[in-house]
Amino acid sequence: MPTVPSDIFAAERRRMKSMSRTVSSALVLATLLAMPMREAVGANLTGAFDAVPSGMTMDNGMSFSGAGYSISRGFNSDTVTLTAPQAIITWTASTGAQGANGGSGTIDIMPSGGTATFQGSSEFTVLNRLMPGADMTRGVSLNGHVVSQVNGASGGNVWFYSPGGILIGSSANFDVGGMLLTAADISPSGIDLDGNGDVVGIHTGVAAAGTTVQVDSGASINTSDYFGILAPRIVQSGTVNADGSVAYIAASQVDLASETDLFSISIPTGMGTDVADALTHSGTTRAHVDGTGNAGISHAIYAVAVPKNTAITMLLGGTMEFQVANGAQITNQGIVLSAGRNT
């Protein structure tokens, strides 16, 4: 005789409970899939740069490693530790950064509020190649805080290159040793080293026609050594305080050498700029000369624009000046303006 269950609805309740769990699991999965990419991958894209350093091995969700350097990634921060005198890091803008603003215009590759720290136990030069992704003609913007240190004090050289140009936004604040912003690429073979392995010269590639490096009003750039911009078009509306020489070079290709505290600048034939308003300066550029460690120092501020095919203009306003401290005796300091010849 068949047994009658004590609860004739038990099987149905078990089936419904199982269905509820299945539906709940599906809803959770759908919610996770719908989350923005930056949230979904967690720490991998929450650094100072909204970009992924390519050509590296990811050790875990918070760090990357490469030859001669490592990157520790935190919330809105990237700490790059250099263990070699020179390094090249290629950062590719995240899909989220590329897709913002309808996938057009300048890519905010370093949003405001982030801090990137470059550090080492000895002097270093690091070239950061900022790649916009699918459309290589798009410019990138840096809007956060960049710091470089050697043994805890200002030092090291931080360079930024992007093929579509660079915008230093109004919220940007840089405190570094030496700095170079360029729209012309620099390959390892284009870097000259001295006997100690220090960089003493560069030979750039050819920048795309019309590319711009621009420093917006409100941006602050402070260097304990040199500062330079290389691009077919330069707009400097921010504040630059340098403890070394400063060079604004409007051209498509540049050969640049360091001679003590000064620069030797050469533009290869036919590699000038075809932008009419090649160099505009409306901000402040100030070169500091401190005689504490060296009584005779040579510093200069260079504004160079070499025409390629048509006439060009340099509009130099704002402030360009030298600030002398501690009784320094200045030799060969000055502001060098050049249009159509090398310096």
Side-chain angles (χ1 to χ4, degrees), residues 19-325:
M19 181 182 294
S20 176
R21 284 196 299 267
T22 302
V23 172
S24 298
S25 298
L27 288 173
V28 170
L29 178 59
T31 300
L32 288 173
L33 291 175
M35 291 174 66
M37 181 64 70
R38 191 174 176 92
E39 296 292 334
V41 298
N44 292 346
L45 287 180
T46 60
F49 294 102
D50 195 355
V52 179
S54 59
M56 296 185 180
T57 301
M58 183 186 294
D59 298 327
N60 51 54
M62 299 294 288
S63 64
F64 301 84
S65 61
Y69 56 90
S70 63
I71 300 174
S72 178
R73 175 153 279 190
F75 182 70
N76 284 343
S77 71
D78 282 309
T79 301
V80 182
T81 300
L82 284 304
T83 56
Q86 297 88 37
I88 298 176
I89 306 174
T90 299
W91 306 80
T92 301
S94 71
T95 54
Q98 293 181 51
N101 299 318
S104 62
T106 303
I107 297 173
D108 191 3
I109 203 166
M110 186 185 191
S112 177
T115 299
T117 301
F118 297 86
Q119 62 185 21
S121 59
S122 58
E123 283 295 329
F124 59 83
T125 299
V126 55
L127 170 61
N128 296 277
R129 305 178 73 250
L130 308 177
M131 297 294 103
D135 185 354
M136 298 293 279
T137 65
R138 295 177 67 185
V140 300
S141 63
L142 300 171
N143 296 286
H145 187 197
V146 177
V147 179
S148 73
Q149 299 177 334
V150 174
N151 293 322
S154 179
N157 304 293
V158 180
W159 299 355
F160 289 107
Y161 154 74
S162 192
I166 301 172
L167 170 65
I168 308 300
S170 60
S171 63
N173 182 15
F174 295 175
D175 295 291
V176 298
M179 171 160 279
L180 181 65
L181 306 173
T182 175
D185 200 3
I186 303 171
S187 68
S189 62
I191 299 175
D192 297 333
L193 306 176
D194 65 11
N196 297 320
D198 296 325
V199 176
V200 293
I202 58 172
H203 311 276
T204 75
V206 180
T211 48
T212 300
V213 172
Q214 178 169 328
V215 182
D216 272 354
S217 176
S220 175
I221 299 175
N222 303 289
T223 71
S224 59
D225 203 335
Y226 62 86
F227 174 69
I229 298 180
L230 315 176
R233 180 172 180 264
I234 297 172
V235 179
Q236 205 299 79
S237 302
T239 299
V240 172
N241 290 289
D243 284 349
S245 289
V246 177
Y248 300 120
I249 307 172
S252 299
Q253 187 176 22
V254 181
D255 295 323
L256 180 66
S258 173
E259 298 179 352
T260 314
D261 299 299
L262 301 175
F263 291 133
S264 174
I265 302 168
S266 177
I267 311 300
T269 303
M271 290 294 110
T273 177
D274 52 9
V275 179
D277 55 339
L279 202 167
T280 301
H281 185 285
S282 60
T284 298
T285 297
R286 183 178 296 112
H288 298 267
V289 181
D290 188 334
T292 301
N294 187 349
I297 301 175
S298 300
H299 284 172
I301 299 174
Y302 300 84
V304 179
V306 177
K308 190 172 185 179
N309 297 311
T310 59
I312 60 174
T313 61
M314 289 193 293
L315 181 59
L316 304 180
T319 301
M320 288 186 177
E321 66 181 12
F322 291 87
Q323 189 172 73
V324 183

